[in-house]
Amino acid sequence: LCSIPRLASRRPATMAHAGASPHWEHMWGSGLGRGQAFDVGGVSQTLAAELARTRHAPRPGLSALVPGCGRAYDALALARHGFDAVVAVDLAPTACEAAKEELQTCGDAAAASKVTVQCADFFELAGQFDFIWDCTFLCALDPSVRERWAAKQASLLAPGGRLLTCVFPICDKQGGPPFAMSVPLVRGLLEPVGLRAARVLDALPPAEWHRPGANASLGGPGTALVEWQRAGDGHGDAGGQDAGCSCVGS
């Protein structure tokens, strides 16, 4: 249930960074369709539910980052939610092409105009963002670069900002990518770099689980959602409304 099917590759990977697997560009280059394999076919159910219950863009001018954006479904959702500048990053050139096509054909020019697709190395990104959505990005990286991932996320998060991690796939498996995740694993990475969990939702209903196309039916790997902020930040969000600070589970 945690495996991602491998498609026959028609082209080699053309970009690489530490911890990245050529597997992803191979799959995109083989003609990955909407809702196929790891492609969800639309916004992640986990993100959609979170944006419905929590106002993450309470004022104009806020920015968001989506590393490992794929077709940029989630980036579009963040733009519609109210973020004025959303950067969607992917290392796979074919994924970036698919993301740009999605923006052109989504039927929402206003939201699409707020999204910038960058074919880039996450570890080389500069600047800071008010909101970062990490969904199936950490699980795609080799375990040898997890500490680098944590340090980079902390450096990219603006003061008062929020990092939202979709902890997926939660299951018993060996190897990857994708690699099995857990809330304690992510805690062990982000707490040492100065981030603290403001909310932990580790008992999400199945309707809010992240479901790639290969696991679109009921069942499959579990999902948790953790919201992070700098340890020294106050309890309110970047724009004033409290995004929630009580921990549910651990």
Side-chain angles (χ1 to χ4, degrees), residues 58-120:
R59 59 178 173 80
L62 296 179
S63 61
L65 171 67
V66 183
C69 66
R71 276 194 168 86
Y73 306 125
D74 291 355
L76 270 169
L78 291 172
R80 289 168 176 146
H81 183 69
F83 287 97
D84 284 332
V86 183
V87 177
V89 176
D90 208 292
L91 190 70
T94 317
C96 295
E97 294 170 9
K100 292 175 181 178
E101 181 179 357
E102 181 69 20
L103 294 177
Q104 292 171 354
T105 60
C106 70
D108 190 343
S113 68
K114 299 178 181 180
V115 180
T116 301
V117 177
Q118 291 187 12
C119 195

Side-chain angles (χ1 to χ4, degrees), residues 1 3-5 27 32-45 71 73 136 168 209-221:
L1 291 175
S3 63
I4 294 293
M27 293 187 72
L32 183 75
R34 294 175 63 99
Q36 184 179 13
F38 57 82
D39 186 279
V40 177
V43 60
S44 169
Q45 293 180 162
R71 276 194 168 86
Y73 306 125
T136 68
F168 174 93
W209 289 4
H210 181 74
R211 295 192 187 279
N215 299 113
S217 60
L218 290 177

Side-chain angles (χ1 to χ4, degrees), residues 64-198:
L65 171 67
V66 183
C69 66
R71 276 194 168 86
Y73 306 125
D74 291 355
L76 270 169
L78 291 172
R80 289 168 176 146
H81 183 69
F83 287 97
D84 284 332
V86 183
V87 177
V89 176
D90 208 292
L91 190 70
T94 317
C96 295
E97 294 170 9
K100 292 175 181 178
E101 181 179 357
E102 181 69 20
L103 294 177
Q104 292 171 354
T105 60
C106 70
D108 190 343
S113 68
K114 299 178 181 180
V115 180
T116 301
V117 177
Q118 291 187 12
C119 195
D121 180 345
F122 167 77
F123 294 109
E124 298 299 325
L125 293 178
Q128 291 188 316
F129 300 85
D130 300 299
F131 185 88
I132 303 174
W133 169 240
D134 189 296
C135 181
T136 68
F137 182 60
L138 174 59
C139 72
L141 296 175
D142 188 84
S144 64
V145 300
R146 286 174 178 170
E147 287 75 16
R148 285 189 62 193
W149 166 87
K152 189 63 179 179
Q153 293 283 25
S155 73
L156 290 170
L157 192 63
R162 292 291 191 273
L163 164 63
L164 204 62
T165 54
C166 178
V167 183
F168 174 93
I170 299 176
C171 59
D172 184 14
K173 74 184 290 280
Q174 299 295 320
F179 296 90
M181 294 282 109
S182 71
V183 172
L185 185 154
V186 180
R187 276 189 184 274
L189 294 170
L190 292 175
E191 288 179 348
V193 297
L195 299 184
R196 71 173 186 89

Side-chain angles (χ1 to χ4, degrees), residues 162 196-200 227 229 234-236 242-248:
R162 292 291 191 273
R196 71 173 186 89
R199 284 188 301 149
V200 180
E227 180 179 344
Q229 65 183 56
H235 296 311
D242 194 338
C245 299
S246 61
C247 290
V248 180

